[in-house]
Structure formats: C-alpha cells, structure tokens
Amino acid sequence: MSDHGEGPAIGIDLGTTNLCVAVWQNGRAEIIVNDQGKRTTPSYVAFTHTERLVGDAAKTQVARNPTNSVFDAKRLIGRRFSDPLVQSDINHFPFKVIEGPGDTPMIIVEYKGKERHFSAEEISSMVLRRMREIAEDYLGTIVKNAVVTVPAYFNDSQRKATRDAAGLAGLNVLRIINEPTAATIAYGLHRMDSSIGKKNVLIFDLGGGTTDVSLITIEKGVFEVKAVAGDTHLGGEDFDNRMVKHFVNIFKRQHKVDISKNSKALRRLKNACEKAKEVLSSAMETTIDVDSLCNGIDFISTITRAKFAELNMDLFRKCIHIVEKCLTDAKMDKSCVHDVVVTGGSSRIPKVQELLREFFNGKELCKCINPDEAVACGAAVQAAILTGMGNEKLQDIVLLDVTPLSLGIEVHGSDMSIVIPRNTAIPTKKKEIYTTMRDNQTSMLFSVYMGEGDRTCDNNLLGQFELSGIPLAPRGVTKAKLCFDIDTNRILNVSAKEMTTGVTSKITFTNYKGRLSSEENDRMVQDAEICKAEDDEDRKKFEAWLKFGGHVVNGIATVAGLYFMGAGKIKFK
C-alpha cells in the first residue's frame, strides 16, 4: 500500500519514441496530458549552450541541433556496447556513442559549453522525471509510486536498467510489467462483465522500436499469459530508416550529392519521412518536400503506399514470424484465437494489418483500444491494484505471467544448459542434476544465464555462485541438485545441494537489484539533481525575463496610449 503522502500511483508507458502516463481516477484509467495539451510526449532529450530540453521542446529543435539531441535511448538501455545491434544503431544516430565502463554505451553531448557523458539510464530518467512532473502538475500532489512497462522480450539486464532509470527519476517502481500484458488489461477491463467463458486473445504490439506478441487467456478476471515472443529491435524507427536510405539514394542519383554523413540534412529528411509514413496510413501516395536539403538544393519526391511496403516487406514479414513463434510456443492453433488486438503506433500501417488478417485467414482485427494509450492505461490499472486505489471491479483481476526468456547455467566451457524454458508459467520451480567435470573437484561454480543462445556468450549473465566442500571423487561421480525457483514477484532463487553430504549454496536474483554499482548510482542521482536544479534556475530566469518584458511592454503601451490620446506633447530626450 502506498503512503498517502506520496500521492496516487501512476502507470507509465516508456516507449522508444513516445511516452504516455495514466492514473486510475473516477473509476477509470485517465490519460494525463502534458503542458502542450498532448496525450503523448516524445522520448527526446536535447542539450544546448543554455539549457536542457525534454519532450516536445527537444524534438522541435532536433533538426538544427542533431548531435546534441538524444532519442531512442530505450534501444541502448541494459545492452552492452559490443552488442551488434548497438553497433548497428550507432550508424543511424546523429549523436556520438562510445564504450563506457563495463562495456556500457555512453552518449556524448555538448551541454553549456562542456562535453558531457550520459548513460541510457540517465537519459531515460530525464524523460521519466518529466512524466512524473506532468503527473504531479495534473494531480496537484506529490507522485512517487509507478508501474512502468517494458517490452515482453526485454531481458533481465534491460528490466533492471529500466528500474534504475526510474529510481534516478525519483520514482519507486511498484512493478515492471510487459507492454502487451498491460494492453490486454486495458482491452479486457470493460469486457469482464460481458465476456462469456474463456477467451484467447493475441496482442500484437508494434511500436516505435520494438515488436511484442503475447497470447493471453482471459476468464472471469484472470489474465493468464500463455506465451510471449518479440524483437526488441524491430519497429517504426526501422521503417523510417529504410525510407530515409531510399531517399538518400534518390538525392544522390539526382544531384550527385551524398548526404549520408550530413547529420542536419539526414534529420530533416527523417522528419519528412516520419510524416510521410503517417500520411500513408490513410492515403495511397504522398510527397516528400524539404526546402534546401543540402547545398541549397530543394528536394521533392513522391512515395506510394506500395513502395513503402516494398522497402519494408522483409521487416513486416518478420513481425508475422513473431506471431507464429508465439502461437507455436503456446501450442495453440491460430483458429483458437478469438480476438487479435493491435496496439502500438506502428500497428496502423495498412500492409502490416493486411498481413495479419491474411495470417488469421481473413479475421478482422480488433481496434477497440487506442494504440498509443492502451499500455499506459493498463499500467495505471495495475498500479491501482497494487496500491488498493481501485474499485471492487479491479480487485477481481489476477495476472498470471510467464518467463520471457530461458534460464540456465553454463556447462562444458560455454554451452547453455536450460533449466527453465521460455514461456514457463510463473511461479515455477525446476530441478536438474549436474556432476563434476574433473577428478577430485572440491567445488562447483554455477554461472546463471538468461537467453535463447546455444552458447552463453550470446546470453545475459545474471550472476555466479559456488558450491564448495564437496567430497573428493573421480569426475562424474559427485552429483549436485540444482533448483531454480521463481516466485510471483519474479524473484529468482537458485540453489545447489551436493547429494551425499547435503552441502548447499544459493543465490537470489531480483528485479529490485539494479545493474549499476552503488557508486555509479550515487553519482547519477547527484547529476540528476544538479541537472534538475539547473533546469529550475533556467526556468526562473526565463519567467523573470518574461515578467520584466511584460512591464516594459505595458510601459510602452501606456506612453503610446497617452500620446495618441493627445494627452500632451510628449518629448523623448
């Protein structure tokens, strides 16, 4: 139960391209609008010589300040710098990313005349803090507690990094939940009274940076996740990049000028492509028109819906393969799916919807929830349940989730031995027997990994622990029983017991434990407070300037009024 002094708990959809925040109020989940009156806020942070901008203000100026405008931090959060996907992304970013301590990606910008280094967690914390402030302004009270959503296929490191980011923003994360699960809650909430029997619902969530598919069974308020599948690096940004590459080639062919290394030109072209993509969801053709794109050359070109689909067809088909994988893991035939619910901004793309309908043999897609807001609404419902803010209707909701990725240990040097396969229902307990690899071995080291790679180097290391004091024996004789136990809060306990002596050892992994060291966390918290103080000071100066400017304008108006009214022959010396 949350402290009343910390205000109501909110739900935050931390998207790759946009954020959305909601709260349970007046018997329903309400979207909180930002200071621009908009229901979503861009996931952008910009740094200038005078200030730091977050959200709409940051995105508005990105074309003239591309190297210091940071976006898509979600694609870096919890990843290693050496990750091939990170290396691929760096080629598309106008800002610089370098290798930081522990193989973490560090973003370099120039802020107030100085070079600054920020982690993806710090950038994400800035937009999360902005969402918290938006909620506090709307609700008129302090907000500390939140449920934050992540892609279903986020690994443990990415989930922990997201929790770290929220902590830096001054938020207590009540729970991290999967985006498609949150969307399902929003979908199922108003159907709980009317639904008859069991319903199998497939949630297809195609956002700005990720694709998530979940198969969920709803029955009498129980939301049981049967399987999840996804790609944390497939979304609207990738479709935009394909279009940008297409027009870069056209510009080069027409004018013999290569703009692929011109960050300002690329950003302006990308802005035009983003708008064109939106238009093509309702029109068959649109025009790309950018004044003075490069070297004073105006660029005008057209693109049809069919051409856009052609440029991205392999990516669209990849989305359908993810749907197939989810159904296969759930051991369910597509004919058993009652509703196919689409959410996420990119799910509006006509070709994607067409491919989905074809896959489900012409079945009409369910578009009953707002694709931009459903995830935040579901998170707000979960926040209300966890804090007791909801009504009786919410107390009937039970959420049963699964493990998104396999869990296991390293054997034979670098092989992954799976103990808990992906899509295993939570809570769960699994046991396996392992033996010594060398003669007279007195201890066994267990390295716990999460992931789907056959080799541990392709997976995420969660931690290690040692079972020592085992009796001397030839290799393969001494046996240890390894037990993986995950509870309802996703806390993983791994224990090992030598079967003849009873010697035991164990380790606990929890989403509450961040990947940052205490020193790094303390530094980031201090930096965040400094940035906030600087922002507050800049705001005060601006408000004072406005106030002063108002007095000057009023004074001029008064003098001008007296003059035009003929109140005297005023002379200015």
Side-chain angles (χ1 to χ4, degrees):
M1 188 75 67
S2 66
D3 187 332
H4 290 296
E6 294 178 346
I10 57 174
I12 300 177
D13 172 14
L14 176 58
T16 307
T17 53
N18 290 288
L19 296 96
C20 188
V21 60
V23 66
W24 182 266
Q25 217 175 39
N26 304 319
R28 63 190 180 92
E30 294 185 358
I31 297 297
I32 299 175
V33 299
N34 62 22
D35 53 355
Q36 303 290 312
K38 297 179 181 178
R39 297 167 74 86
T40 60
T41 301
S43 304
Y44 279 69
V45 180
F47 302 87
T48 73
H49 291 297
T50 58
E51 60 185 334
R52 180 186 64 168
L53 304 169
V54 180
D56 292 288
K59 188 172 183 179
T60 299
Q61 57 81 70
V62 68
R64 62 180 182 273
N65 182 32
T67 56
N68 297 307
S69 299
V70 183
F71 55 92
D72 285 4
K74 187 174 176 178
R75 288 197 153 183
L76 300 175
I77 199 165
R79 290 189 183 273
R80 298 187 297 269
F81 178 78
S82 56
D83 188 325
L85 293 176
V86 171
Q87 292 301 310
S88 173
D89 275 334
I90 289 174
N91 295 326
H92 296 293
F93 292 150
F95 50 87
K96 190 175 180 181
V97 182
I98 64 167
E99 182 178 359
D103 198 23
T104 58
M106 295 297 290
I107 297 158
I108 298 180
V109 295
E110 188 175 307
Y111 179 37
K112 294 189 174 181
K114 295 180 181 178
E115 184 179 282
R116 297 287 299 272
H117 294 200
F118 293 104
S119 66
E121 288 93 328
E122 289 177 287
I123 296 297
S124 295
S125 76
M126 294 172 191
V127 292
L128 283 169
R129 183 182 287 273
R130 184 72 195 111
M131 301 314 286
R132 175 189 162 194
E133 291 169 352
I134 288 168
E136 289 179 337
D137 289 344
Y138 176 84
L139 297 168
T141 185
I142 294 172
V143 173
K144 286 287 186 180
N145 296 314
V147 168
V148 181
T149 64
V150 296
Y153 236 52
F154 254 25
N155 63 33
D156 195 64
S157 177
Q158 290 168 305
R159 290 170 189 267
K160 287 175 179 176
T162 302
R163 186 180 287 277
D164 287 334
L168 292 172
L171 287 167
N172 170 45
V173 179
L174 299 171
R175 189 165 295 177
I176 297 281
I177 66 170
N178 295 336
E179 289 165 3
T181 306
T184 311
I185 293 173
Y187 157 84
L189 187 62
H190 62 285
R191 285 171 168 73
M192 286 173 58
D193 296 332
S194 59
S195 62
I196 300 172
K198 185 186 293 186
K199 211 168 191 182
N200 299 318
V201 181
L202 184 128
I203 304 292
F204 179 81
D205 183 358
L206 181 57
T210 60
T211 303
D212 272 315
V213 179
S214 287
L215 188 62
I216 300 176
T217 298
I218 304 175
E219 185 176 20
K220 296 179 181 178
V222 177
F223 292 73
E224 183 180 0
V225 181
K226 292 294 186 181
V228 297
D231 190 326
T232 58
H233 207 272
L234 175 62
E237 286 285 317
D238 302 290
F239 310 148
D240 295 339
N241 290 335
R242 287 284 179 89
M243 214 189 318
V244 168
K245 185 178 179 180
H246 169 68
F247 284 118
V248 165
N249 290 334
I250 288 177
F251 191 82
K252 186 176 181 180
R253 191 164 60 246
Q254 289 178 347
H255 304 287
K256 312 301 182 202
V257 177
D258 185 3
I259 63 168
S260 60
K261 302 299 181 184
N262 186 324
S263 58
K264 287 189 177 182
L266 282 177
R267 186 63 237 187
R268 295 177 66 212
L269 180 58
K270 187 171 184 178
N271 286 347
C273 287
E274 287 175 359
K275 292 175 184 176
K277 180 182 68 175
E278 293 175 8
V279 172
L280 289 174
S281 291
S282 56
M284 299 303 292
E285 183 178 304
T286 188
T287 301
I288 297 285
D289 189 348
V290 186
D291 292 336
S292 190
L293 178 60
C294 185
N295 298 340
I297 304 170
D298 296 338
F299 180 60
I300 301 177
S301 186
T302 59
I303 185 167
T304 62
R305 183 186 290 182
K307 183 62 180 179
F308 175 70
E310 179 191 323
L311 292 172
N312 292 287
M313 188 55 71
D314 60 319
L315 299 180
F316 294 166
R317 293 199 184 281
K318 196 173 179 182
C319 295
I320 304 304
H321 292 327
I322 293 170
V323 174
E324 287 182 294
K325 182 181 178 184
C326 184
L327 288 168
T328 301
D329 286 351
K331 298 180 176 61
M332 186 178 292
D333 188 83
K334 58 186 175 183
S335 62
C336 298
V337 175
H338 296 99
D339 276 340
V340 179
V341 180
V342 291
T343 185
S346 298
S347 68
R348 293 186 175 95
I349 296 172
K351 192 62 180 180
V352 171
Q353 294 187 1
E354 180 188 322
L355 291 173
L356 265 178
R357 277 193 295 268
E358 286 178 2
F359 178 79
F360 284 99
N361 302 322
K363 188 180 188 68
E364 279 305 312
L365 307 179
C366 180
K367 304 174 187 177
C368 58
I369 57 177
N370 187 312
D372 299 319
E373 302 172 2
V375 171
C377 287
V381 171
Q382 184 67 25
I385 293 170
L386 293 174
T387 56
M389 289 163 46
N391 54 23
E392 291 181 5
K393 187 177 181 180
L394 295 193
Q395 301 315 312
D396 293 334
I397 293 178
V398 178
L399 183 60
L400 303 175
D401 215 337
V402 297
T403 57
L405 295 164
S406 300
L407 293 157
I409 65 165
E410 186 175 64
V411 295
H412 307 305
S414 63
D415 291 342
M416 175 78 165
S417 174
I418 295 174
V419 179
I420 298 181
R422 69 173 186 271
N423 290 318
T424 299
I426 297 172
T428 187
K429 182 183 286 188
K430 301 278 185 178
K431 297 178 181 178
E432 293 287 344
I433 304 296
Y434 293 92
T435 61
T436 51
M437 299 295 295
R438 302 187 308 275
D439 293 338
N440 299 321
Q441 191 173 325
T442 58
S443 66
M444 297 174 73
L445 179 67
F446 294 97
S447 300
V448 182
Y449 285 85
M450 171 184 270
E452 302 306 318
D454 292 332
R455 298 173 67 83
T456 54
C457 58
D458 298 322
N459 297 328
N460 181 44
L461 175 65
L462 300 183
Q464 298 174 316
F465 71 104
E466 189 174 39
L467 177 64
S468 54
I470 59 179
L472 299 176
R475 65 177 181 174
V477 173
T478 302
K479 296 180 180 180
K481 182 184 289 185
L482 193 68
C483 178
F484 276 55
D485 185 359
I486 306 177
D487 67 16
T488 53
N489 290 315
R490 288 185 176 271
I491 296 175
L492 169 64
N493 287 285
V494 183
S495 61
K497 181 179 181 180
E498 201 282 312
M499 297 179 68
T500 56
T501 63
V503 173
T504 61
S505 181
K506 67 178 182 178
I507 188 171
T508 299
F509 305 96
T510 165
N511 280 338
Y512 296 95
K513 177 184 174 185
R515 71 173 187 147
L516 299 176
S517 68
S518 57
E519 293 80 8
E520 287 176 312
N521 191 75
D522 290 344
R523 176 192 63 78
M524 289 183 180
V525 168
Q526 289 176 359
D527 287 350
E529 290 302 322
I530 290 170
C531 283
K532 184 179 184 301
E534 289 176 348
D535 288 349
D536 290 342
E537 184 64 27
D538 290 339
R539 193 175 296 111
K540 287 177 183 176
K541 288 178 181 177
F542 183 68
E543 288 172 355
W545 180 84
L546 281 179
K547 190 175 181 181
F548 172 74
H551 288 318
V552 171
V553 170
N554 288 337
I556 293 172
T558 301
V559 172
L562 290 171
Y563 179 81
F564 286 112
M565 288 171 65
K569 296 179 181 177
I570 302 172
K571 295 182 180 179
F572 295 93
K573 295 184 180 180

